[in-house]
Amino acid sequence: MSTIGRNSLCPCGSGKKYKHCCLGQAEPAQSPKGQLAHVRHGTERPLAETMLSWAQRTYGQSLVDSGIRDLAADEPLVEDEFALLMPWLLYQLPVQDQPPAAAFLAERGARLTEFERITLECNLAGRMSLWEVRRVEPGEGLELFDLLTHETRFVHDVLGSQGAQRWMVILAIVVDYPGVSVLGGLHPRPLQPVESTVPLTAIRRLLGVRKRAVSADRLRAPAIQLAILHHWRLAVSRQNQRSMVPRVVTNTDGDALVLCTDHFDVAAPDQPQVLKLLTTIEGGHVESSDDGDLVVFSRAGNKAHKDWDNTVLGRAWFKGGRLLVETNSVKRADTLRKGIERAAGAHVKYRLRDQRGAEAMMREAQALPEPRAMRPEPPPEIQAAMREMLERHYASWVDTALPALGGHTPHEAAASAKLRPRLVALLKEFDHLEKGKPEYERYDMSRLWAALGLDPAGVAAGTTPSRAPAPVKRTSRPRATTAIFELTVALRHVEPRIWRRLRIPGNTTLLAFHKVLQKVMGWTDSHMHLFRAGGIEYGELDPELPEIRTEKNVHLGSLLLRPGDRLVYEYDFGDSWEHDIELVRTLPPDPGPGKYPFVVEGARACPPEDCGGVSGYEGLLRVLGDPRDPEHEHTVLWVGGSFDPEAFDAQTINRKFHRDWLLPDAGSPVSARSETALPRLAPLAPGAPRRR
């Protein structure tokens, strides 16, 4: 393809020279395809303005009522969102059975140039989707990957290439013209990789797919396009809200990061004696510095970093007639103050404390006169020490349990189909952060991807890892030697009753029981949860919920002591699904090959996730049961095409737990220890087909 000359006729068909037509309406292009993309953009704009005027005269208020009003009801519209909403409204959303652009083309197509007709036809064939930025070529454009259809496009867009970053996710309409692809519309707010997993999961659930690619035609369905916009705007709102919440920064003990400087009066003649007394405090030792001797207080090991040899708790030095003691939390400061007053006694007199929180320290760092990139690099020996620290950190990180991964390690998450997308999103966040650091502070993230057996391009599409990750070694669980609990689980406030009866060892931890309940009830483990018993709440530890105790080492047997004892399990703090759990009876330990947990009986299907709690579920059933309801069609699509509230099959649930064991058919004779005991299960013979 040759470059378009300034004096050549413009390809848009206007009859004008390129320099007097589309070249003057766009950024200078750096390649022939880039120039063609600019010409296409130059044609789109006046054509869209003409169509919008025509549509407003033809449809009036119906144009807005077709979709904009519904979106504004969820979240107020922002002016710059119309850069995406207007092309979507003109080319994608049916108004009176077809998009306005299609009606415009049918009515006025004969008056348009061939170039303009092709412009309209290509825009009508476009679609809105979630696109991941894979590569950025400044001054040219972006390589995008469609997270739903798994298609790749290189879009020529000079402005887009200036602000985009690798791995960010954008909501955009990509238009394929002959020989070039462009952005036909773009939402002004991109999402970071971690934030994008929520709308992507919601849209995939709506489409009824977990990993596989979605066809482009299915994605063009008006209800799907509206749902994509809805979930995207909610995710942007959540991202904005989180960005405004002050970040809780802690030290390695988990205490809030507060730089504390305690001032003690010490007479000059007493300072040598006080220096010696400070070394009698556990962990205190003298170190020399350019400004004189100082006492460093430390302890062996580190709570947050298992590979660290020690933890520095504070530093003390003399300045004039004052002893200054610096720590990074109020707790450490209070502890060290008591130790100093106990060791030095009358030689020291406490005066005051200066405190600066994390936010103040960040503001001070941002107010430094020179940008980070222009500051002098540290000496080579300091850079070497920093690189060594990075190596040690990431070497242990892959086997460290992380809250962001639900308490699992990166190695465990890489081997889990459910956790792998969260791990990939986290690694992409790291990748973005590392690229913004100076070379001597930067870690090569490709090594981390390789260590976990992941391909950043492949896994984002929901495919399997590039190579199988190293298997996680797990110790085999011993056969149950504890009593078997028979429990009932029932959703509160739902009629008719949704309930299950199951059997499970009494030494099961609450964390393991949570995972069992998710399968037993039919939830997807997409939200937070907690247990309540005896006025105490147990769940995942969270700095924002300090009242919650850990669930990892609390067993059912310590909370349910006798038949009739209860606890409450709450799932999804937004919808607030509360489950009453009651101990019905205790069975003796099973010495045989019984498999647990085991669902004995139950009734009715679990409500769909994110349906709005009890009241939302009641409304959903009402709409599904009334084909005349205006929301009926959309609701059927939202639940994946069908939903049977009466559906329940204990055997189907049990096969989720015991897929390699032959389960007795309902009604068939079984060999059991007693009338209340669990049926014996026989392992499947090698090569035998599994019963489905």
Side-chain angles (χ1 to χ4, degrees), residues 3-4 6 18-19 21-39 41 45 137-141 156-162:
T3 303
I4 305 171
R6 291 173 54 84
Y18 178 47
K19 66 182 179 181
C21 190
C22 292
L23 177 62
Q25 301 174 19
E27 293 288 325
Q30 302 298 317
S31 67
K33 282 196 173 185
Q35 288 180 326
L36 180 57
H38 287 310
V39 171
H41 277 308
R45 294 187 187 100
E137 289 190 12
E140 277 296 320
H156 288 268
D157 193 290
V158 175
L159 292 177
S161 70
Q162 294 173 355

Side-chain angles (χ1 to χ4, degrees), residues 508-524:
T508 304
T509 65
L510 292 184
L511 175 58
F513 188 42
H514 152 68
K515 296 176 181 178
V516 169
L517 288 173
Q518 288 290 310
K519 290 184 179 179
V520 166
M521 295 303 297
W523 300 118
T524 62

